[in-house]
Amino acid sequence: LKVSSDFPEILVNFVNSSSNTDLAMNFWWKTENSSSTNSLLKLMTSGEDIFGLNIINNDVFCYFNDNNFKANNEDNLIPNDGLWHNIVLSYSSYWLKLNLFIDGELKKSFSQDWLNSDLIRKLIINSSEGSYYLDELSIWNWSLNSADVMTIYNIQKEHFGY
């Protein structure tokens, strides 16, 4: 799927809304070239950003319970190299941790209170600047641990040139 600022956002309204204590989002992502990009994927209730990512150039922002926080400081978590990269955002209610994995490796972990129990009603995908590609998007109603993420990465990576 090519997502570009030339097109309106992609909005998926779920037929059956869900409420989860654990949640994970897995997808493959790449920029069209090394230019600026503003990639957004988020799950929402009727009015709050519950869970997702916003990738703005080399900065990664996480959405969790209607809060938006930066995942990286000066380091680039996701290389802007025009290659495919696997990105996983996973929340565990047992450990109260929000984990960000890039290409099978845990890059950031944040302590977070419980995931909002409001019903998740929709998925939004858009770009307000530049273009990017998205493939193999999956949303899980449980937390993915490091072994799960590495298994998914190893199974899928050959389809993306690795």
Side-chain angles (χ1 to χ4, degrees), residues 32-71:
E32 188 163 52
N33 53 43
S34 60
S35 66
S36 298
T37 187
N38 186 340
S39 310
L40 175 68
L41 290 96
K42 63 183 175 180
L43 296 171
M44 296 186 67
T45 63
S46 55
E48 292 184 336
D49 302 332
I50 292 298
F51 190 80
L53 287 169
N54 192 3
I55 304 166
I56 304 173
N57 299 325
N58 294 324
D59 293 325
V60 178
F61 296 87
C62 297
Y63 289 100
F64 190 83
N65 287 347
D66 213 28
N67 293 313
N68 184 1
F69 51 92
K70 190 173 179 182

Side-chain angles (χ1 to χ4, degrees), residues 50-139:
I50 292 298
F51 190 80
L53 287 169
N54 192 3
I55 304 166
I56 304 173
N57 299 325
N58 294 324
D59 293 325
V60 178
F61 296 87
C62 297
Y63 289 100
F64 190 83
N65 287 347
D66 213 28
N67 293 313
N68 184 1
F69 51 92
K70 190 173 179 182
N72 61 314
N73 295 322
E74 275 78 50
D75 56 338
N76 294 340
L77 291 178
I78 306 170
N80 194 359
D81 55 11
L83 300 175
W84 285 101
H85 294 282
N86 180 246
I87 302 171
V88 177
L89 186 64
S90 181
Y91 177 72
S92 168
S93 61
Y94 180 79
W95 298 107
L96 296 177
K97 290 284 185 184
L98 180 66
N99 293 321
L100 177 63
F101 297 86
I102 309 294
D103 294 334
E105 295 181 29
L106 178 63
K107 295 293 187 175
K108 290 290 181 174
S109 186
F110 306 94
S111 295
Q112 293 294 321
D113 289 334
W114 299 100
L115 185 63
N116 188 334
S117 62
D118 288 349
L119 293 177
I120 295 173
R121 300 182 186 279
K122 57 189 168 185
L123 167 70
I124 294 178
I125 302 171
N126 78 4
S127 175
S128 61
E129 180 180 343
S131 298
Y132 66 96
Y133 293 89
L134 181 69
D135 203 351
E136 297 296 327
L137 172 64
S138 57
I139 299 168

Side-chain angles (χ1 to χ4, degrees), residues 84 136 155-162:
W84 285 101
E136 297 296 327
I155 289 170
Q156 294 180 342
K157 70 181 181 180
E158 69 183 50
H159 303 292
F160 295 94
Y162 292 95

